[in-house]
Amino acid sequence: MEYRRLVEIYDRLDATSSTLEKTDILANAFGDAGELLPELTQLARGRLFAAWESDDLGVSSSLTAQAIVDATGIDDEQIQSWWRETGDLGNAAANAVENRAQTTLVSETLDVRTVYDTLRGLSEYEGPGSQERRINDIADLLADAEPDEARYIVRTIVGAMRLGVGEGTIRDALAMAFFDGSDEAIQAVERAYEVTNDFRTVGETAREQGRDGLDALEVELFRPVKAMLAQKAEDVADALDATEQPLVEYKYDGMRTKIHVSSDEIRVFTRQLEDVTTQFPDIVAAVRDEITVESAIIEAEVVSYDSETGKPIPFQEFSKRIKRKNDIEKMATEYPATVHVFDLLYHDGQSLVDAPLAERVKHLEGIIEHGGETVQRAANLQSASAEGAESFYADALEAGQEGLIVKNANASYQPGSRVGYMLKVKPMMEPLDLVVVQAKWSEGRKSDWLGRLRLACWDAEQEELREVGRMFSGMTDAELREITAKLEPLIQSIDDRTANLRPEVVIQVEYEEIQESTTYDSGYALRFPRFGGFRDDLGPENADRLERVERLYEEQ
Ligand code: AMP
């Protein structure tokens, strides 16, 4: 298939804002794709890799800009200026090709497979000279490209397709292309995607083997699925109430891992599906020694403990190990891993994702060496009374853990969805009083209201406000109306839909956690900030100090 035809499809997707129409366009494209279907299911979203593959092309936007210069002979300043004007390097590339100084003598027609393979290949270069080779490969593609083709090639490279095509659109389009598009067909495609994490496999199986093939797709070793996510409960009682058959476990604050085990290979993946096997030789060794199994996919939270206090080391510190490429053994001695196992998705050749949690846990407990040093079953209570669970919660906090996770022992494993099979209970952090320094007009029904607030604390040393994050929601309509009325008179300038404000309004902000951040000039960012009320009694200089943010960060 010529790349030009894919560009036509992109343009049609771009021309409509209706999800139904987008689905229709893609369903037709998928139906006609033949052998090229796997690539198309990826390229439709501007993806080159499945969620579980490493997707680092090793190409920055400025490197891409360099390739545009090389391919077209247009100077860098002009490219930068187009880029700034439109905010889209893809448009800059299209302009550059349109106005190109050099013309290649024999220009090849680009086909989809060449573009896909060339772009994927960029990630494979290693060592000295790899940057140049990447620039050359991109420049070669762009030299053969028409303006519209260049636009989408560059958008694919920088990962900004702007076509409004998400996972749901691909799923629905496959259900329509190869089945009847009914809810039932959509669910079958969804399930297949959950267990494979790969639309290429789902598409190809649907096309070649129909429903039976699709339904037979299962979790496989070394192809990690997304993690099942937790919802938040107010407190222990609330979590128990909401859970049919509670299995209560400590909530550890560590690295969520999926460990894939076969007789000759062990691999460790993070929650983001990144392969971190090399960085954690201690986990691999412990799994080899303390788990007896032919094959398995084990889920665990990995924590490192301070050998003196016995308390968990903060995740921020432990997580240094994830990024480290050298001194691996030294890091493993400094931050040794304890692997708290809590789920088993696959056991000796069989998927367990459809089995109830109670059964998965029974299998899990059957394969670990009890009393093992590094691999330990997550602390748990199997049939908890209300008081039992409360005191278990107190124990967890006393031990320096984050709280509890309350799971439904009757539930299957649902990769990636927050279905309420698992509720987390943890103490709220002390709220902060923060100044609103910027606001954005909301979208849709609430477009007249100023929501989306940028918040700041007070740096007493420098006598300046320092930003600590943005709050998107948590306000009722009445509160949004009230804050709009308070903020409008304070507007100093407007930038697109953003209003810069005289810093006067102070609000109370609740949040789950403070993280280090390079986005905000305080160096910190609140995780999941929520509106906790107006503090009309406070002026900006009475807002919480940066020092307090720092202290809370250290203490959490
Ligand atoms: P959160 O990241 O706050 O949404 O909480 C969910 C996370 O808690 C999961 O992604 C796991 O990484 C982590 N977690 C800690 N202990 C457990 C446990 N016993 N069972 C399941 N997840 C756990």
Side-chain angles (χ1 to χ4, degrees), residues 259 261 266 281-293 296 298 337-341 363-377:
I259 307 170
V261 187
I266 296 171
D282 47 341
I283 298 183
V284 174
V287 167
R288 192 164 284 135
D289 288 348
E290 299 173 31
I291 290 184
T292 315
V293 81
I298 300 161
T338 298
V339 183
H340 297 285
V341 297
H363 282 263
L364 177 67
E365 292 181 345
I367 65 171
I368 59 173
E369 181 182 299
H370 291 269
E373 205 177 311
T374 302
V375 177
Q376 295 175 14
R377 170 78 181 98

PDB file of all heavy atoms in Angstrom, residues 259 261 266 281-293 296 298 337-341 363-377:
ATOM      1  N   ILE A 259       6.575 -10.347  36.945  1.00  0.00           N
ATOM      2  CA  ILE A 259       7.762 -11.164  36.737  1.00  0.00           C
ATOM      3  C   ILE A 259       7.366 -12.372  35.900  1.00  0.00           C
ATOM      4  O   ILE A 259       6.493 -13.152  36.304  1.00  0.00           O
ATOM      5  CB  ILE A 259       8.356 -11.598  38.090  1.00  0.00           C
ATOM      6  CG1 ILE A 259       8.573 -10.359  38.981  1.00  0.00           C
ATOM      7  CG2 ILE A 259       9.672 -12.347  37.878  1.00  0.00           C
ATOM      8  CD1 ILE A 259       8.932 -10.684  40.414  1.00  0.00           C
ATOM      9  N   VAL A 261       8.293 -15.877  34.258  1.00  0.00           N
ATOM     10  CA  VAL A 261       9.237 -16.941  34.578  1.00  0.00           C
ATOM     11  C   VAL A 261       9.011 -18.130  33.647  1.00  0.00           C
ATOM     12  O   VAL A 261       7.882 -18.615  33.519  1.00  0.00           O
ATOM     13  CB  VAL A 261       8.993 -17.449  36.029  1.00  0.00           C
ATOM     14  CG1 VAL A 261      10.069 -18.446  36.439  1.00  0.00           C
ATOM     15  CG2 VAL A 261       8.910 -16.300  37.015  1.00  0.00           C
ATOM     16  N   ILE A 266      13.985 -15.504  33.095  1.00  0.00           N
ATOM     17  CA  ILE A 266      13.165 -14.718  34.019  1.00  0.00           C
ATOM     18  C   ILE A 266      13.273 -13.260  33.585  1.00  0.00           C
ATOM     19  O   ILE A 266      14.374 -12.759  33.371  1.00  0.00           O
ATOM     20  CB  ILE A 266      13.676 -14.869  35.469  1.00  0.00           C
ATOM     21  CG1 ILE A 266      13.516 -16.316  35.919  1.00  0.00           C
ATOM     22  CG2 ILE A 266      12.945 -13.919  36.413  1.00  0.00           C
ATOM     23  CD1 ILE A 266      14.177 -16.638  37.239  1.00  0.00           C
ATOM     24  N   PRO A 281      19.170  -7.785  39.138  1.00  0.00           N
ATOM     25  CA  PRO A 281      19.657  -9.171  39.176  1.00  0.00           C
ATOM     26  C   PRO A 281      19.262  -9.864  40.484  1.00  0.00           C
ATOM     27  O   PRO A 281      19.105 -11.096  40.509  1.00  0.00           O
ATOM     28  CB  PRO A 281      21.188  -9.009  39.090  1.00  0.00           C
ATOM     29  CG  PRO A 281      21.465  -7.602  39.477  1.00  0.00           C
ATOM     30  CD  PRO A 281      20.268  -6.805  39.088  1.00  0.00           C
ATOM     31  N   ASP A 282      19.085  -9.097  41.559  1.00  0.00           N
ATOM     32  CA  ASP A 282      18.695  -9.699  42.837  1.00  0.00           C
ATOM     33  C   ASP A 282      17.282 -10.279  42.780  1.00  0.00           C
ATOM     34  O   ASP A 282      16.999 -11.322  43.370  1.00  0.00           O
ATOM     35  CB  ASP A 282      18.841  -8.703  43.999  1.00  0.00           C
ATOM     36  CG  ASP A 282      18.245  -7.327  43.701  1.00  0.00           C
ATOM     37  OD1 ASP A 282      18.046  -7.001  42.505  1.00  0.00           O
ATOM     38  OD2 ASP A 282      17.960  -6.589  44.655  1.00  0.00           O
ATOM     39  N   ILE A 283      16.386  -9.611  42.024  1.00  0.00           N
ATOM     40  CA  ILE A 283      15.025 -10.157  41.888  1.00  0.00           C
ATOM     41  C   ILE A 283      15.084 -11.471  41.103  1.00  0.00           C
ATOM     42  O   ILE A 283      14.477 -12.472  41.490  1.00  0.00           O
ATOM     43  CB  ILE A 283      14.081  -9.156  41.172  1.00  0.00           C
ATOM     44  CG1 ILE A 283      13.956  -7.872  42.000  1.00  0.00           C
ATOM     45  CG2 ILE A 283      12.709  -9.777  40.923  1.00  0.00           C
ATOM     46  CD1 ILE A 283      12.989  -6.857  41.416  1.00  0.00           C
ATOM     47  N   VAL A 284      15.855 -11.455  40.020  1.00  0.00           N
ATOM     48  CA  VAL A 284      15.962 -12.653  39.191  1.00  0.00           C
ATOM     49  C   VAL A 284      16.504 -13.826  40.020  1.00  0.00           C
ATOM     50  O   VAL A 284      15.940 -14.928  40.004  1.00  0.00           O
ATOM     51  CB  VAL A 284      16.877 -12.389  37.966  1.00  0.00           C
ATOM     52  CG1 VAL A 284      17.108 -13.663  37.174  1.00  0.00           C
ATOM     53  CG2 VAL A 284      16.260 -11.305  37.082  1.00  0.00           C
ATOM     54  N   ALA A 285      17.573 -13.554  40.783  1.00  0.00           N
ATOM     55  CA  ALA A 285      18.177 -14.620  41.586  1.00  0.00           C
ATOM     56  C   ALA A 285      17.189 -15.141  42.630  1.00  0.00           C
ATOM     57  O   ALA A 285      17.063 -16.360  42.836  1.00  0.00           O
ATOM     58  CB  ALA A 285      19.444 -14.106  42.261  1.00  0.00           C
ATOM     59  N   ALA A 286      16.475 -14.237  43.278  1.00  0.00           N
ATOM     60  CA  ALA A 286      15.542 -14.649  44.324  1.00  0.00           C
ATOM     61  C   ALA A 286      14.396 -15.477  43.752  1.00  0.00           C
ATOM     62  O   ALA A 286      13.983 -16.479  44.348  1.00  0.00           O
ATOM     63  CB  ALA A 286      14.994 -13.418  45.050  1.00  0.00           C
ATOM     64  N   VAL A 287      13.908 -15.074  42.589  1.00  0.00           N
ATOM     65  CA  VAL A 287      12.806 -15.819  41.978  1.00  0.00           C
ATOM     66  C   VAL A 287      13.289 -17.230  41.624  1.00  0.00           C
ATOM     67  O   VAL A 287      12.591 -18.222  41.833  1.00  0.00           O
ATOM     68  CB  VAL A 287      12.257 -15.076  40.736  1.00  0.00           C
ATOM     69  CG1 VAL A 287      11.348 -15.969  39.908  1.00  0.00           C
ATOM     70  CG2 VAL A 287      11.518 -13.818  41.169  1.00  0.00           C
ATOM     71  N   ARG A 288      14.531 -17.301  41.133  1.00  0.00           N
ATOM     72  CA  ARG A 288      15.077 -18.611  40.776  1.00  0.00           C
ATOM     73  C   ARG A 288      15.175 -19.512  42.019  1.00  0.00           C
ATOM     74  O   ARG A 288      14.829 -20.687  41.976  1.00  0.00           O
ATOM     75  CB  ARG A 288      16.455 -18.426  40.127  1.00  0.00           C
ATOM     76  CG  ARG A 288      16.975 -19.667  39.472  1.00  0.00           C
ATOM     77  CD  ARG A 288      18.125 -19.376  38.522  1.00  0.00           C
ATOM     78  NE  ARG A 288      17.693 -18.803  37.266  1.00  0.00           N
ATOM     79  CZ  ARG A 288      18.268 -17.760  36.676  1.00  0.00           C
ATOM     80  NH1 ARG A 288      19.288 -17.150  37.254  1.00  0.00           N
ATOM     81  NH2 ARG A 288      17.829 -17.323  35.520  1.00  0.00           N
ATOM     82  N   ASP A 289      15.595 -18.910  43.156  1.00  0.00           N
ATOM     83  CA  ASP A 289      15.812 -19.710  44.364  1.00  0.00           C
ATOM     84  C   ASP A 289      14.540 -20.000  45.149  1.00  0.00           C
ATOM     85  O   ASP A 289      14.427 -21.022  45.802  1.00  0.00           O
ATOM     86  CB  ASP A 289      16.745 -18.956  45.334  1.00  0.00           C
ATOM     87  CG  ASP A 289      18.160 -18.944  44.800  1.00  0.00           C
ATOM     88  OD1 ASP A 289      18.425 -19.696  43.850  1.00  0.00           O
ATOM     89  OD2 ASP A 289      18.978 -18.170  45.335  1.00  0.00           O
ATOM     90  N   GLU A 290      13.623 -19.041  45.169  1.00  0.00           N
ATOM     91  CA  GLU A 290      12.545 -19.140  46.149  1.00  0.00           C
ATOM     92  C   GLU A 290      11.182 -19.431  45.529  1.00  0.00           C
ATOM     93  O   GLU A 290      10.177 -19.449  46.229  1.00  0.00           O
ATOM     94  CB  GLU A 290      12.489 -17.846  46.987  1.00  0.00           C
ATOM     95  CG  GLU A 290      13.793 -17.623  47.756  1.00  0.00           C
ATOM     96  CD  GLU A 290      13.831 -16.260  48.470  1.00  0.00           C
ATOM     97  OE1 GLU A 290      12.767 -15.780  48.877  1.00  0.00           O
ATOM     98  OE2 GLU A 290      14.931 -15.698  48.611  1.00  0.00           O
ATOM     99  N   ILE A 291      11.153 -19.608  44.218  1.00  0.00           N
ATOM    100  CA  ILE A 291       9.882 -19.945  43.571  1.00  0.00           C
ATOM    101  C   ILE A 291      10.077 -21.213  42.752  1.00  0.00           C
ATOM    102  O   ILE A 291      11.035 -21.329  41.990  1.00  0.00           O
ATOM    103  CB  ILE A 291       9.398 -18.787  42.682  1.00  0.00           C
ATOM    104  CG1 ILE A 291       8.963 -17.634  43.582  1.00  0.00           C
ATOM    105  CG2 ILE A 291       8.268 -19.218  41.763  1.00  0.00           C
ATOM    106  CD1 ILE A 291       8.375 -16.459  42.892  1.00  0.00           C
ATOM    107  N   THR A 292       9.176 -22.153  42.950  1.00  0.00           N
ATOM    108  CA  THR A 292       9.298 -23.415  42.234  1.00  0.00           C
ATOM    109  C   THR A 292       8.162 -23.520  41.224  1.00  0.00           C
ATOM    110  O   THR A 292       7.003 -23.661  41.610  1.00  0.00           O
ATOM    111  CB  THR A 292       9.156 -24.594  43.216  1.00  0.00           C
ATOM    112  OG1 THR A 292       9.951 -24.295  44.355  1.00  0.00           O
ATOM    113  CG2 THR A 292       9.611 -25.886  42.576  1.00  0.00           C
ATOM    114  N   VAL A 293       8.522 -23.426  39.947  1.00  0.00           N
ATOM    115  CA  VAL A 293       7.470 -23.392  38.950  1.00  0.00           C
ATOM    116  C   VAL A 293       8.070 -23.667  37.574  1.00  0.00           C
ATOM    117  O   VAL A 293       9.259 -23.435  37.353  1.00  0.00           O
ATOM    118  CB  VAL A 293       6.796 -21.991  39.013  1.00  0.00           C
ATOM    119  CG1 VAL A 293       7.619 -20.964  38.261  1.00  0.00           C
ATOM    120  CG2 VAL A 293       5.387 -22.013  38.532  1.00  0.00           C
ATOM    121  N   ALA A 296       5.408 -19.038  34.874  1.00  0.00           N
ATOM    122  CA  ALA A 296       4.489 -18.211  35.665  1.00  0.00           C
ATOM    123  C   ALA A 296       4.596 -16.747  35.278  1.00  0.00           C
ATOM    124  O   ALA A 296       5.629 -16.294  34.783  1.00  0.00           O
ATOM    125  CB  ALA A 296       4.808 -18.352  37.150  1.00  0.00           C
ATOM    126  N   ILE A 298       4.011 -13.568  37.639  1.00  0.00           N
ATOM    127  CA  ILE A 298       3.744 -13.225  39.029  1.00  0.00           C
ATOM    128  C   ILE A 298       3.653 -11.722  39.134  1.00  0.00           C
ATOM    129  O   ILE A 298       4.411 -11.000  38.496  1.00  0.00           O
ATOM    130  CB  ILE A 298       4.919 -13.710  39.910  1.00  0.00           C
ATOM    131  CG1 ILE A 298       5.066 -15.215  39.780  1.00  0.00           C
ATOM    132  CG2 ILE A 298       4.747 -13.285  41.361  1.00  0.00           C
ATOM    133  CD1 ILE A 298       6.418 -15.722  40.206  1.00  0.00           C
ATOM    134  N   ALA A 337      16.248  -5.598  47.153  1.00  0.00           N
ATOM    135  CA  ALA A 337      14.811  -5.715  46.879  1.00  0.00           C
ATOM    136  C   ALA A 337      14.151  -6.772  47.759  1.00  0.00           C
ATOM    137  O   ALA A 337      14.705  -7.853  47.956  1.00  0.00           O
ATOM    138  CB  ALA A 337      14.610  -6.083  45.417  1.00  0.00           C
ATOM    139  N   THR A 338      12.982  -6.439  48.300  1.00  0.00           N
ATOM    140  CA  THR A 338      12.097  -7.453  48.856  1.00  0.00           C
ATOM    141  C   THR A 338      10.882  -7.527  47.938  1.00  0.00           C
ATOM    142  O   THR A 338      10.299  -6.505  47.587  1.00  0.00           O
ATOM    143  CB  THR A 338      11.654  -7.075  50.283  1.00  0.00           C
ATOM    144  OG1 THR A 338      12.806  -7.011  51.109  1.00  0.00           O
ATOM    145  CG2 THR A 338      10.678  -8.096  50.847  1.00  0.00           C
ATOM    146  N   VAL A 339      10.536  -8.730  47.522  1.00  0.00           N
ATOM    147  CA  VAL A 339       9.483  -8.899  46.520  1.00  0.00           C
ATOM    148  C   VAL A 339       8.210  -9.394  47.209  1.00  0.00           C
ATOM    149  O   VAL A 339       8.109 -10.560  47.596  1.00  0.00           O
ATOM    150  CB  VAL A 339       9.935  -9.920  45.453  1.00  0.00           C
ATOM    151  CG1 VAL A 339       8.885 -10.068  44.360  1.00  0.00           C
ATOM    152  CG2 VAL A 339      11.270  -9.505  44.838  1.00  0.00           C
ATOM    153  N   HIS A 340       7.241  -8.483  47.408  1.00  0.00           N
ATOM    154  CA  HIS A 340       5.977  -8.871  48.040  1.00  0.00           C
ATOM    155  C   HIS A 340       5.015  -9.348  46.968  1.00  0.00           C
ATOM    156  O   HIS A 340       4.417  -8.533  46.263  1.00  0.00           O
ATOM    157  CB  HIS A 340       5.375  -7.681  48.792  1.00  0.00           C
ATOM    158  CG  HIS A 340       6.223  -7.184  49.924  1.00  0.00           C
ATOM    159  ND1 HIS A 340       6.326  -7.852  51.114  1.00  0.00           N
ATOM    160  CD2 HIS A 340       7.010  -6.095  50.047  1.00  0.00           C
ATOM    161  CE1 HIS A 340       7.138  -7.189  51.930  1.00  0.00           C
ATOM    162  NE2 HIS A 340       7.571  -6.117  51.309  1.00  0.00           N
ATOM    163  N   VAL A 341       4.852 -10.659  46.838  1.00  0.00           N
ATOM    164  CA  VAL A 341       4.014 -11.171  45.736  1.00  0.00           C
ATOM    165  C   VAL A 341       2.537 -11.152  46.126  1.00  0.00           C
ATOM    166  O   VAL A 341       2.190 -11.388  47.276  1.00  0.00           O
ATOM    167  CB  VAL A 341       4.435 -12.606  45.325  1.00  0.00           C
ATOM    168  CG1 VAL A 341       5.856 -12.610  44.797  1.00  0.00           C
ATOM    169  CG2 VAL A 341       4.318 -13.582  46.484  1.00  0.00           C
ATOM    170  N   HIS A 363      -2.899 -20.776  44.040  1.00  0.00           N
ATOM    171  CA  HIS A 363      -1.789 -21.195  43.176  1.00  0.00           C
ATOM    172  C   HIS A 363      -0.497 -20.492  43.596  1.00  0.00           C
ATOM    173  O   HIS A 363       0.563 -21.095  43.666  1.00  0.00           O
ATOM    174  CB  HIS A 363      -2.069 -20.829  41.706  1.00  0.00           C
ATOM    175  CG  HIS A 363      -3.011 -21.765  41.023  1.00  0.00           C
ATOM    176  ND1 HIS A 363      -2.570 -22.797  40.234  1.00  0.00           N
ATOM    177  CD2 HIS A 363      -4.358 -21.823  40.983  1.00  0.00           C
ATOM    178  CE1 HIS A 363      -3.610 -23.451  39.741  1.00  0.00           C
ATOM    179  NE2 HIS A 363      -4.713 -22.873  40.187  1.00  0.00           N
ATOM    180  N   LEU A 364      -0.622 -19.186  43.849  1.00  0.00           N
ATOM    181  CA  LEU A 364       0.564 -18.383  44.194  1.00  0.00           C
ATOM    182  C   LEU A 364       1.219 -18.916  45.461  1.00  0.00           C
ATOM    183  O   LEU A 364       2.437 -19.096  45.533  1.00  0.00           O
ATOM    184  CB  LEU A 364       0.133 -16.919  44.391  1.00  0.00           C
ATOM    185  CG  LEU A 364       1.209 -15.935  44.824  1.00  0.00           C
ATOM    186  CD1 LEU A 364       2.248 -15.757  43.721  1.00  0.00           C
ATOM    187  CD2 LEU A 364       0.602 -14.569  45.162  1.00  0.00           C
ATOM    188  N   GLU A 365       0.384 -19.180  46.445  1.00  0.00           N
ATOM    189  CA  GLU A 365       0.936 -19.652  47.719  1.00  0.00           C
ATOM    190  C   GLU A 365       1.553 -21.042  47.578  1.00  0.00           C
ATOM    191  O   GLU A 365       2.408 -21.425  48.370  1.00  0.00           O
ATOM    192  CB  GLU A 365      -0.133 -19.577  48.813  1.00  0.00           C
ATOM    193  CG  GLU A 365      -0.457 -18.110  49.097  1.00  0.00           C
ATOM    194  CD  GLU A 365      -1.498 -17.889  50.181  1.00  0.00           C
ATOM    195  OE1 GLU A 365      -2.202 -18.863  50.542  1.00  0.00           O
ATOM    196  OE2 GLU A 365      -1.616 -16.733  50.643  1.00  0.00           O
ATOM    197  N   GLY A 366       1.121 -21.755  46.528  1.00  0.00           N
ATOM    198  CA  GLY A 366       1.671 -23.078  46.294  1.00  0.00           C
ATOM    199  C   GLY A 366       3.051 -23.075  45.636  1.00  0.00           C
ATOM    200  O   GLY A 366       3.714 -24.106  45.609  1.00  0.00           O
ATOM    201  N   ILE A 367       3.450 -21.947  45.072  1.00  0.00           N
ATOM    202  CA  ILE A 367       4.735 -21.966  44.335  1.00  0.00           C
ATOM    203  C   ILE A 367       5.849 -21.236  45.061  1.00  0.00           C
ATOM    204  O   ILE A 367       7.006 -21.321  44.667  1.00  0.00           O
ATOM    205  CB  ILE A 367       4.595 -21.393  42.904  1.00  0.00           C
ATOM    206  CG1 ILE A 367       4.219 -19.900  42.938  1.00  0.00           C
ATOM    207  CG2 ILE A 367       3.593 -22.192  42.088  1.00  0.00           C
ATOM    208  CD1 ILE A 367       4.278 -19.242  41.565  1.00  0.00           C
ATOM    209  N   ILE A 368       5.512 -20.474  46.114  1.00  0.00           N
ATOM    210  CA  ILE A 368       6.589 -19.748  46.808  1.00  0.00           C
ATOM    211  C   ILE A 368       7.111 -20.545  47.981  1.00  0.00           C
ATOM    212  O   ILE A 368       6.390 -21.303  48.625  1.00  0.00           O
ATOM    213  CB  ILE A 368       6.156 -18.340  47.286  1.00  0.00           C
ATOM    214  CG1 ILE A 368       4.961 -18.420  48.239  1.00  0.00           C
ATOM    215  CG2 ILE A 368       5.840 -17.443  46.123  1.00  0.00           C
ATOM    216  CD1 ILE A 368       4.604 -17.087  48.855  1.00  0.00           C
ATOM    217  N   GLU A 369       8.390 -20.360  48.231  1.00  0.00           N
ATOM    218  CA  GLU A 369       9.003 -21.009  49.381  1.00  0.00           C
ATOM    219  C   GLU A 369       8.606 -20.194  50.607  1.00  0.00           C
ATOM    220  O   GLU A 369       8.878 -18.996  50.680  1.00  0.00           O
ATOM    221  CB  GLU A 369      10.517 -20.945  49.192  1.00  0.00           C
ATOM    222  CG  GLU A 369      11.299 -21.592  50.284  1.00  0.00           C
ATOM    223  CD  GLU A 369      12.790 -21.415  49.985  1.00  0.00           C
ATOM    224  OE1 GLU A 369      13.221 -21.917  48.930  1.00  0.00           O
ATOM    225  OE2 GLU A 369      13.475 -20.776  50.776  1.00  0.00           O
ATOM    226  N   HIS A 370       7.916 -20.815  51.548  1.00  0.00           N
ATOM    227  CA  HIS A 370       7.466 -20.022  52.701  1.00  0.00           C
ATOM    228  C   HIS A 370       8.634 -19.730  53.619  1.00  0.00           C
ATOM    229  O   HIS A 370       9.524 -20.542  53.777  1.00  0.00           O
ATOM    230  CB  HIS A 370       6.299 -20.714  53.385  1.00  0.00           C
ATOM    231  CG  HIS A 370       5.086 -20.680  52.498  1.00  0.00           C
ATOM    232  ND1 HIS A 370       4.162 -19.682  52.539  1.00  0.00           N
ATOM    233  CD2 HIS A 370       4.724 -21.481  51.458  1.00  0.00           C
ATOM    234  CE1 HIS A 370       3.257 -19.876  51.595  1.00  0.00           C
ATOM    235  NE2 HIS A 370       3.578 -20.981  50.915  1.00  0.00           N
ATOM    236  N   GLY A 371       8.663 -18.521  54.170  1.00  0.00           N
ATOM    237  CA  GLY A 371       9.813 -18.122  54.982  1.00  0.00           C
ATOM    238  C   GLY A 371      11.004 -17.721  54.133  1.00  0.00           C
ATOM    239  O   GLY A 371      12.111 -17.589  54.618  1.00  0.00           O
ATOM    240  N   GLY A 372      10.771 -17.547  52.820  1.00  0.00           N
ATOM    241  CA  GLY A 372      11.842 -17.107  51.924  1.00  0.00           C
ATOM    242  C   GLY A 372      12.347 -15.726  52.328  1.00  0.00           C
ATOM    243  O   GLY A 372      11.626 -14.947  52.947  1.00  0.00           O
ATOM    244  N   GLU A 373      13.585 -15.459  51.950  1.00  0.00           N
ATOM    245  CA  GLU A 373      14.198 -14.222  52.417  1.00  0.00           C
ATOM    246  C   GLU A 373      13.760 -13.016  51.594  1.00  0.00           C
ATOM    247  O   GLU A 373      13.422 -11.973  52.123  1.00  0.00           O
ATOM    248  CB  GLU A 373      15.708 -14.378  52.319  1.00  0.00           C
ATOM    249  CG  GLU A 373      16.441 -13.471  53.276  1.00  0.00           C
ATOM    250  CD  GLU A 373      17.924 -13.739  53.185  1.00  0.00           C
ATOM    251  OE1 GLU A 373      18.309 -14.932  53.248  1.00  0.00           O
ATOM    252  OE2 GLU A 373      18.675 -12.778  53.007  1.00  0.00           O
ATOM    253  N   THR A 374      13.713 -13.174  50.287  1.00  0.00           N
ATOM    254  CA  THR A 374      13.440 -12.032  49.417  1.00  0.00           C
ATOM    255  C   THR A 374      12.021 -12.066  48.862  1.00  0.00           C
ATOM    256  O   THR A 374      11.362 -11.040  48.756  1.00  0.00           O
ATOM    257  CB  THR A 374      14.459 -12.029  48.256  1.00  0.00           C
ATOM    258  OG1 THR A 374      15.757 -11.962  48.836  1.00  0.00           O
ATOM    259  CG2 THR A 374      14.260 -10.842  47.354  1.00  0.00           C
ATOM    260  N   VAL A 375      11.548 -13.255  48.498  1.00  0.00           N
ATOM    261  CA  VAL A 375      10.188 -13.354  47.980  1.00  0.00           C
ATOM    262  C   VAL A 375       9.242 -13.631  49.141  1.00  0.00           C
ATOM    263  O   VAL A 375       9.386 -14.638  49.839  1.00  0.00           O
ATOM    264  CB  VAL A 375      10.069 -14.491  46.942  1.00  0.00           C
ATOM    265  CG1 VAL A 375       8.634 -14.623  46.470  1.00  0.00           C
ATOM    266  CG2 VAL A 375      11.004 -14.236  45.769  1.00  0.00           C
ATOM    267  N   GLN A 376       8.309 -12.710  49.349  1.00  0.00           N
ATOM    268  CA  GLN A 376       7.371 -12.906  50.458  1.00  0.00           C
ATOM    269  C   GLN A 376       5.954 -12.645  50.001  1.00  0.00           C
ATOM    270  O   GLN A 376       5.703 -11.727  49.244  1.00  0.00           O
ATOM    271  CB  GLN A 376       7.718 -11.931  51.598  1.00  0.00           C
ATOM    272  CG  GLN A 376       9.068 -12.237  52.199  1.00  0.00           C
ATOM    273  CD  GLN A 376       9.468 -11.199  53.239  1.00  0.00           C
ATOM    274  OE1 GLN A 376       8.642 -10.407  53.685  1.00  0.00           O
ATOM    275  NE2 GLN A 376      10.727 -11.208  53.622  1.00  0.00           N
ATOM    276  N   ARG A 377       5.035 -13.453  50.479  1.00  0.00           N
ATOM    277  CA  ARG A 377       3.624 -13.212  50.203  1.00  0.00           C
ATOM    278  C   ARG A 377       3.249 -11.884  50.862  1.00  0.00           C
ATOM    279  O   ARG A 377       3.598 -11.651  52.028  1.00  0.00           O
ATOM    280  CB  ARG A 377       2.810 -14.374  50.802  1.00  0.00           C
ATOM    281  CG  ARG A 377       1.320 -14.190  50.818  1.00  0.00           C
ATOM    282  CD  ARG A 377       0.688 -14.446  49.454  1.00  0.00           C
ATOM    283  NE  ARG A 377      -0.749 -14.229  49.544  1.00  0.00           N
ATOM    284  CZ  ARG A 377      -1.341 -13.085  49.167  1.00  0.00           C
ATOM    285  NH1 ARG A 377      -0.640 -12.085  48.662  1.00  0.00           N
ATOM    286  NH2 ARG A 377      -2.645 -12.952  49.281  1.00  0.00           N
TER     287      ARG A 377
END
